Amino acid sequence: MNAPRQHEPVRWGILGTGGITRSLLRGARRTDAVDVVAVGSRTLDRAAEYAREHGIARAHGSYEALLADPDVEAVYISLPNSLHHPWTVRALQAGKHVLCEKPYTRRHTDVAAAFEAAEHAGLVLCEAFMWRHHPQARAIVEMLPEIGELQTIRATFSFVLDRPNDIRLRADLDGGSLMDVGTYCVSGARLLTGEEPELVFGTQVLGPSGVDVRFNALLRFPGGAIAEIMSSFETDHRGLEAIGSEGTIRLTNPWLPTDPDPILIRDGVETPIGFADSYQLELEDVSAAIREHRPTLLGRADAMGQARAIEALYRSADSGLPVRL
Ligand SMILES: NC(=O)c1ccc[n+]([C@@H]2O[C@H](COP(=O)([O-])OP(=O)(O)OC[C@H]3O[C@@H](n4cnc5c(N)ncnc54)[C@H](OP(=O)(O)O)[C@@H]3O)[C@@H](O)[C@H]2O)c1
């Protein structure tokens, strides 16, 4: 097969047919940079039904078969958390670029192994924190100097999870509220400080299935800022707020910015951000990185920072003690 030209869309395969793939496909339909050509599921029936529903050319009855499809250049992995790393490694071994759903892992050694494999093979690997691709993420960072010294960050993301069989409640699949929505709060605190935490203290409430259904934490950053984060499956709340010596900035809808469109509020003054599809922007970023041989917005350092922080937070919650990184 001839090497694809720079302007040709990247040919993507969808690995797993879970709920989030629908948002990604909506983003894919909005851009010429992406062509979704195949889907792989654990059963052929499911793959075929999904391919029919979404107008995808080829359906594979196993993830292995999708990875063996020579026409697929890149795969989007949206499996339960514990399967992200093993299937990313297998995809890289099959010569595919990978966009893998967040959280890539709670083990920083997985991040190192995966990015080493990707770099060695000359392949792109990216953790899918779609919220970072929305213009509001850039807007809040650009406005930060206006509020003086950044002192406190408040980041929350929670929703009521009332599906007892959900993957997020399965300990064997690396579920838990910190792993699911709390990772956005960690990502938000790291973005606003531009640093990695040096000390964390986390405390959790475990549900009947053994995963944290609530997680509250403090993260102290070397520049002096402290982030207060909360994730939960027991209430509905979300926000990202930067409190500085000379004012505050808040995003009304930081993590899922299309639902509804977000507003940035600086000391009571509202700036509407406007519509942008984070999934489209994420796919365009990774596809451009593949075609143009340039880095993705989120690379190894970001995935490593996320995994180290999450790992330390769980260690702290398990031990009841602060953890120094
Ligand atoms: N970025 C975002 O906006 C966002 C939003 C939601 C979720 N996510 C992330 O995306 C991932 C998937 O979440 P989701 O809500 O799409 O989950 P989901 O609806 O439960 O789908 C997970 C899919 O994984 C596959 N799978 C493989 N082994 C499985 C197992 N043992 N149990 C259950 N499913 C299994 C299944 O696909 P097949 O049956 O086709 O094989 C299933 O449809 C998670 O890591 C989550 O954190 C990201």
Side-chain angles (χ1 to χ4, degrees):
M1 194 176 296
N2 293 332
R5 292 168 204 243
Q6 198 164 334
H7 63 272
E8 283 180 19
V10 174
R11 296 185 303 279
W12 285 82
I14 305 283
L15 197 147
T17 59
I20 189 53
T21 61
R22 287 162 196 279
S23 301
L24 190 95
L25 286 179
R26 207 169 37 241
R29 282 193 290 272
R30 291 191 160 116
T31 175
D32 294 334
V34 169
D35 197 1
V36 177
V37 296
V39 57
S41 178
R42 287 169 298 172
T43 67
L44 186 55
D45 281 355
R46 174 88 191 105
E49 183 193 329
Y50 187 93
R52 235 184 345 265
E53 185 188 342
H54 297 285
I56 297 173
R58 284 187 304 288
H60 297 289
S62 70
Y63 303 152
E64 289 88 346
L66 178 79
L67 295 183
D69 183 333
D71 190 43
V72 169
E73 294 176 84
V75 293
Y76 168 61
I77 296 178
S78 62
L79 302 176
N81 297 336
S82 65
L83 301 178
H84 290 173
H85 179 59
W87 280 101
T88 292
V89 169
R90 292 181 73 162
L92 293 169
Q93 285 167 347
K96 312 298 185 193
H97 305 280
V98 176
L99 172 64
C100 180
E101 262 311 333
K102 48 54 61 181
Y104 182 74
T105 176
R106 55 188 284 181
R107 299 163 197 91
H108 76 274
T109 49
D110 289 353
V111 177
F115 277 89
E116 258 147 50
E119 283 156 24
H120 186 69
L123 295 165
V124 172
L125 169 59
C126 182
E127 184 177 20
F129 269 111
M130 52 65 185
W131 86 279
R132 285 287 313 274
H133 296 266
H134 196 280
Q136 67 167 348
R138 204 168 43 245
I140 191 170
V141 169
E142 282 171 2
M143 206 175 257
L144 276 179
E146 295 179 21
I147 61 163
E149 179 201 7
L150 178 61
Q151 295 176 346
T152 301
I153 295 158
R154 290 203 188 113
T156 60
F157 194 175
S158 68
F159 68 101
V160 177
L161 177 52
D162 50 13
R163 301 179 298 269
N165 297 324
D166 195 284
I167 57 167
R168 290 159 184 77
L169 295 174
R170 294 264 306 268
D172 59 329
L173 298 178
D174 282 353
S177 78
L178 175 63
M179 283 293 275
D180 189 45
V181 281
T183 52
Y184 287 89
C185 304
V186 171
S187 174
R190 293 180 52 255
L191 175 68
L192 295 191
T193 56
E195 296 179 324
E196 302 302 339
E198 60 180 11
L199 184 77
V200 303
F201 177 67
T203 183
Q204 62 189 341
V205 174
L206 298 179
S209 70
V211 305
D212 55 291
V213 292
R214 218 187 311 157
F215 202 105
N216 294 68
L218 293 175
L219 293 79
R220 195 177 78 199
F221 290 86
I226 293 175
E228 307 168 1
I229 71 169
M230 180 279 283
S231 59
S232 162
F233 293 148
E234 299 182 318
T235 185
D236 209 338
H237 198 275
R238 52 195 73 164
L240 178 63
E241 185 176 21
I243 303 171
S245 53
E246 291 162 34
T248 66
I249 319 174
R250 185 163 67 84
L251 284 171
T252 55
N253 189 6
W255 320 120
L256 302 170
T258 46
D259 181 30
D261 293 348
I263 299 171
L264 185 147
I265 305 176
R266 159 79 213 274
D267 294 327
V269 179
E270 298 191 358
T271 308
I273 300 284
F275 174 80
D277 184 325
S278 310
Y279 300 94
Q280 172 193 348
L281 297 172
E282 172 181 81
L283 277 169
E284 287 177 342
D285 177 61
V286 179
S287 299
I290 292 168
R291 282 286 176 271
E292 297 163 21
H293 306 287
R294 65 156 177 77
T296 47
L297 174 72
L298 302 175
R300 178 186 188 136
D302 196 78
M304 185 58 90
Q306 283 293 122
R308 279 193 192 283
I310 295 164
E311 206 168 25
L313 284 165
Y314 276 123
R315 221 166 53 237
S316 171
D318 289 343
S319 66
L321 298 169
V323 169
R324 197 169 285 281
L325 284 98

